[in-house]
Amino acid sequence: MSRERRLLSCLLFVVSAFGAAWVGLAYYSIAAIQTPTSHSIIQTTDIDSGARRNVRWLVRPDPNDVIHNNIYWQQQQGSSESHHLYLYSAYVDTRIGSLTFVRILGMSQNRLTKTTQCYCILWFNNTQSGLYVKATLNHIWAAEWGYRDNLYAPYLFSCLVPEESGEGHPRHVSLVLNQSDKPTNILPIRNTERAEFMHNSDSQKEKEKRREKQFAVCVKGMNFEEDISRQLVEWIELQLIFGATKLFIYKYHVVSNVEAVLGYYADKAVVDVIPVTLPGDQPNSVHIRTKYIKDNVSQKRRNEVMIYNDCLYRAKDVFDYVVLIDIDELLVPTANETWEALMSTVQLISRAVPVVSTYKRGANTVRVKTSQFSSFSAQNAYYFTDEPCQNYTDVGYFLKYVTRNESFLREGYAIKSFFDTNGALTLFNHQVIHPMPGFSRTFNIPTSLAQLNHYKLSSQIENAVPIRDNALLKYKDKLLQKITTVEKALKLKHKNGV
């Protein structure tokens, strides 16, 4: 039995002797993640002898039994049509000590209740039998945003791989709502080989050598019926100049020029283009989907959360940080030129500022003191797209906008963040929703070190006070050279330089 499991068994004894309130902090620090709305990622019955009681062997689903939905999703039938699950992806997670989890990302047709029980069937290699274990769930949403029961809701389903399985990491997983349900899904677990290396290597130096200490950028589903290719070229080149190694760009629909841009960078292995659709009965024809996304903002946000978390789990074994950002935003280092230099400074500052985070566990409040942060947030500065600098109107998009609102938005409002891939269980576009054990939610980066340039019309900003800010112009020469090279290679044609 591993050290974490033995310690958890001891903690259970402490609970019976002294009460759950006292042990809450210790239990949290080892294996549980407090959520505002749902269960912890580990339940004690799942990690000791209870796990063996939950094991059952089943027959692997026949391909004809798998219900595919809108190309990229698999459907698990619920007890009624209002409780179907639409499953998108699955990953191995070995970030908590010696424990191994399978994480499944999916959406429920209507929000699940807190008493909902789900079960994973873990499939090892190509065997026909699977290991049946209890799953726990996190609703990837915050209570303060409000709940709507008539929308597709995003979830992370977590399944602890029993230590007694002795078969390494599973290769596929199915999820069912009841023990008696027939599985109509079987998801490939995408990062198994990488996770096995990270988990089994005896040499920390070897791990560090194999691990790329760099940044990944995540872009929510692109859905553009207009040509944004020039803006996109400049935006991608800026991410690369800042220090991004890989961009994961999810795509619903784009026009041919934008397809050409994405293909160009995909061929250079700096962009992964990930086609995506909406699950369930949401529309996926181009024009209808565009209107649907515009008219259904609450559902749009929930769909985006699913994509952001898939990107986190794609990147977590390779990159130190992920940045979730839109193509009308730039996360600009102001005291340095690269994100790597910026974050070296920010990490030093943040470690000197221990924070006491408060978590609710039932009726008890648990306080955790930590100097580790799961995200590092830059304040929002609105740049005005109706006030271009005349020197750059013929070349470039972002470079020509050098006027912004005088004041930054307050801390925590419309921010964008660097997410520590070891510190986030679930997240949304601004900061972490559920941090990992021992991590606080976010550290606010001083505006003297970084800012979020967010490009909008000045008429959209209440009481705007324009000032000039040349924070981006230090990249001008390198950026213009790269833009020219790409546009010549692609032979892109634009109207009025836009």
Side-chain angles (χ1 to χ4, degrees), residues 222-225 251-254 276-278 282-296:
M222 293 182 67
N223 191 73
F224 292 99
E225 297 186 46
K251 183 194 72 173
Y252 291 118
H253 169 79
V254 294
V276 67
T277 58
L278 300 176
Q282 298 178 86
N284 281 290
S285 61
V286 174
H287 302 302
I288 297 175
R289 181 176 54 206
T290 298
K291 185 177 187 305
Y292 174 84
I293 290 173
K294 181 180 179 180
D295 294 344
N296 295 272

